[in-house]
Amino acid sequence: IGSTNGDMNASPPRDSDVLSPSQTGYAKKEFIMMPPEEKLKHFDSRAQAHEDNQEFDTCIQDLVRCVALTRLVYGEGHLKLAQAHARLAKAYLQFKG
């Protein structure tokens, strides 16, 4: 009767949600097999590059990925996760607010 799955109406990922090799700079299989720590470094530096180039929507997308990867790498109660949330919030405020 009850569901353990968080959101039953969640849509599956679209092709546009999946990163292409040209977006990541890595071959698809290589990027998929990359450990979360390396993906975090990749998206962190990419978010900074997008900010520097004033590509704010893409920067925010990468910062959202950084929050998720930081949670995976460091865990729920770590300072780094709070810092990732603060960085994302600051970006929203500066670029969208």
Side-chain angles (χ1 to χ4, degrees):
I1 292 179
S3 173
T4 57
N5 190 1
D7 184 5
M8 295 299 291
N9 296 324
S11 60
R14 300 179 309 250
D15 285 342
S16 62
D17 292 337
V18 179
L19 299 170
S20 70
S22 63
Q23 290 174 303
T24 63
Y26 297 94
K28 185 176 180 180
K29 186 174 182 178
E30 180 183 352
F31 190 75
I32 289 173
M33 298 304 293
M34 185 183 292
E37 296 86 354
E38 288 184 37
K39 285 183 183 178
L40 177 57
K41 289 177 190 174
H42 170 78
F43 284 114
D44 185 59
S45 63
R46 203 171 85 157
Q48 185 62 52
H50 287 304
E51 182 180 348
D52 295 343
N53 294 330
Q54 297 186 354
E55 299 167 342
F56 301 126
D57 289 335
T58 312
C59 174
I60 288 172
Q61 286 178 349
D62 286 346
L63 290 174
V64 169
R65 289 184 177 103
C66 285
V67 169
L69 288 165
T70 301
R71 181 176 285 117
L72 278 174
V73 172
Y74 295 102
E76 204 52 51
H78 202 280
L79 175 63
K80 295 259 187 197
L81 181 59
Q83 291 171 331
H85 278 286
R87 186 175 176 203
L88 175 60
K90 183 179 176 185
Y92 269 120
L93 184 63
Q94 285 181 330
F95 308 144
K96 299 288 187 178

